[in-house]
Amino acid sequence: MIVGTRDLFGFERLHYHPRSGKWAGGISQLLRESGESAGEPDVAAIAGYLNGERLVGRTVLHDVLAVPPGHALIQSAHGLEVQDAPSQPVRGDLETVLRESLQRALDSGKRVALALSGGLDSALLLALLRELGAQQRVTSYILATGMPDYCERDAALELANLMQAKVKIVQASEADFVAALPRTTYAVEEPMFNLHPVAKLLLAEAMAEDGIELAISGDGADQVLRRDQSANYLPLCNALFGAASVGLHPPFVDTPVVEHLISLAADPNKQCLRDLGARLNLPDRLVHGPKRGRLAPAMNLDPLLERDRIPALAATLNLPAPTLQPDTERVLWTTLTLILDHLGATRRPV
């Protein structure tokens, strides 16, 4: 019997505990519902997080496994097993399937907002909302950090003004990012190498304060178009909005949109989106310009970074002691200690 299926790009998390035969979306939820303790850390999986070579199907806990993207969880006489559950390509029309996805969000009966950055993906969605006459009904939320090379306020406002959209600016400082890092880590339940996911939580929390129930976002376009099934970002986005009690609706991972996009050749340059953007009269910088990376700058993690404790934790995990000089290393070890403590797994590993 199929008890759960994970979508092709891993947007929805699905974890299971083989010994107890239980499953749930998140690790903490699974431990609560199974009545099991965290058990021991999974050293090999943790090493994979730290060196950028994640182990498919593994988590920071030895006894909790993750269903990989594009797989189903099966309950049989032998216990819980994982099997392939591939998606089938269905050729359609990109603009049509995106419009239909947006319309489903608008018809949900929930208060809906758009997470607007200065990039192509969310700009396309705003342009389509304008075509549907909803750019004033659906407020565009823009995160303004004021951080050099990590603030898209001006670019996003340019788009909003072009589309005559209703806008809400959410201010977030470095102190806000650092203060939100524990909440972010507890939600994603894995170590992170950069603070960019924190931006998702800050935006989601601002929406929740305003009574927003469903957020439309451009997340997933890159992953689907380049066939990236690593699930190292999309499920984090979903978990972070969920932690703020805001549903996340990214049309680019909606089933009909995915089925259409995988019927085409892989398109890492997102030419199909650029072509649609040209038809919708998006700014030239989006239609023809290069894609910009979106990593957060280095921030002062001293309030959270346990420098004296981390070498002992590394020794317990049989891992080399980090220098804590590179920013990625500081973020990884800070979030690793946070999540292991949160799950109750800072004991002798297996």
Side-chain angles (χ1 to χ4, degrees), residues 88-122:
Q88 299 301 319
V90 179
R91 183 66 63 90
D93 174 75
L94 179 58
E95 183 173 352
T96 299
V97 291
L98 285 173
R99 278 174 175 263
E100 290 173 347
S101 179
L102 290 170
Q103 192 63 58
R104 283 191 289 276
L106 296 174
D107 293 342
S108 66
K110 299 178 179 179
R111 290 192 61 188
V112 181
L114 171 69
L116 181 64
S117 69
L120 172 63
D121 308 332
S122 62

Side-chain angles (χ1 to χ4, degrees), residues 229-252:
Q229 293 182 275
S230 64
N232 63 0
Y233 182 64
L234 269 180
L236 277 62
C237 298
N238 193 27
L240 289 165
F241 274 83
S245 299
V246 177
L248 186 59
H249 181 86
F252 292 107

Side-chain angles (χ1 to χ4, degrees), residues 16-22 30 62-65 79-80:
Y16 63 105
H17 191 277
R19 187 174 64 248
S20 70
K22 301 294 185 181
L30 175 56
H62 183 268
D63 294 336
V64 175
L65 302 179
L80 294 174

Side-chain angles (χ1 to χ4, degrees), residues 21-337:
K22 301 294 185 181
W23 62 91
I27 297 174
S28 296
Q29 178 189 3
L30 175 56
L31 295 178
R32 287 194 305 271
E33 294 182 1
S34 67
E36 298 284 342
S37 65
E40 307 297 344
D42 186 328
V43 173
I46 289 171
Y49 283 112
L50 295 175
N51 64 26
E53 298 179 359
R54 296 159 56 104
L55 299 183
V56 175
R58 305 276 281 275
T59 75
V60 294
L61 300 184
H62 183 268
D63 294 336
V64 175
L65 302 179
V67 176
H71 287 74
L73 185 63
I74 309 296
Q75 189 175 45
S76 71
H78 304 291
L80 294 174
E81 302 174 351
V82 170
Q83 69 177 30
D84 285 342
S87 296
Q88 299 301 319
V90 179
R91 183 66 63 90
D93 174 75
L94 179 58
E95 183 173 352
T96 299
V97 291
L98 285 173
R99 278 174 175 263
E100 290 173 347
S101 179
L102 290 170
Q103 192 63 58
R104 283 191 289 276
L106 296 174
D107 293 342
S108 66
K110 299 178 179 179
R111 290 192 61 188
V112 181
L114 171 69
L116 181 64
S117 69
L120 172 63
D121 308 332
S122 62
L124 272 177
L125 299 179
L126 179 56
L128 291 171
L129 286 169
R130 180 187 60 180
E131 297 290 308
L132 294 169
Q135 79 276 24
Q136 281 289 320
R137 169 185 162 191
V138 176
T139 301
S140 293
Y141 279 68
I142 300 169
L143 190 70
T145 68
M147 301 178 193
D149 298 320
Y150 190 66
C151 184
E152 296 187 288
R153 176 184 180 276
D154 292 344
L157 275 178
E158 176 196 4
L159 291 169
N161 291 333
L162 179 65
M163 308 289 176
Q164 298 179 313
K166 184 179 178 182
V167 168
K168 171 72 178 284
I169 302 292
V170 178
Q171 302 287 345
S173 66
E174 176 175 329
D176 294 323
F177 270 74
V178 175
L181 184 57
R183 302 196 303 278
T184 302
T185 307
Y186 303 156
V188 303
E189 300 181 318
E190 64 181 59
M192 296 174 287
F193 69 90
N194 184 263
L195 267 66
H196 177 59
V198 178
K200 297 291 184 182
L201 182 63
L202 293 173
L203 199 64
E205 290 177 342
M207 290 182 179
E209 288 179 6
D210 292 343
I212 298 299
E213 300 167 281
L214 188 65
I216 297 168
S217 82
D219 295 310
D222 293 284
Q223 288 78 9
V224 176
L225 287 168
R226 67 173 181 251
R227 307 295 192 265
D228 177 3
Q229 293 182 275
S230 64
N232 63 0
Y233 182 64
L234 269 180
L236 277 62
C237 298
N238 193 27
L240 289 165
F241 274 83
S245 299
V246 177
L248 186 59
H249 181 86
F252 292 107
V253 296
D254 220 356
T255 298
V257 179
V258 170
E259 289 175 342
H260 167 68
L261 290 175
I262 65 173
S263 76
L264 310 174
D267 186 6
N269 193 44
K270 301 197 286 193
Q271 191 58 50
C272 64
L273 302 191
R274 295 173 187 271
D275 292 343
L276 178 56
R279 295 201 300 274
L280 295 172
N281 298 311
L282 290 185
D284 187 72
R285 66 174 178 83
L286 296 177
V287 173
H288 300 293
K291 175 179 170 56
R292 295 185 60 189
R294 207 177 294 171
L295 291 179
M299 301 186 198
N300 180 10
L301 297 180
D302 285 347
L304 301 172
L305 184 61
E306 300 187 65
R307 293 180 182 273
D308 294 335
R309 178 188 172 198
I310 285 173
L313 176 61
T316 301
L317 295 171
N318 300 315
L319 295 172
T323 65
L324 300 179
Q325 293 303 311
D327 178 63
T328 54
E329 205 170 68
R330 291 193 296 273
V331 176
L332 280 164
W333 280 91
T334 297
T335 54
L336 175 62
T337 56

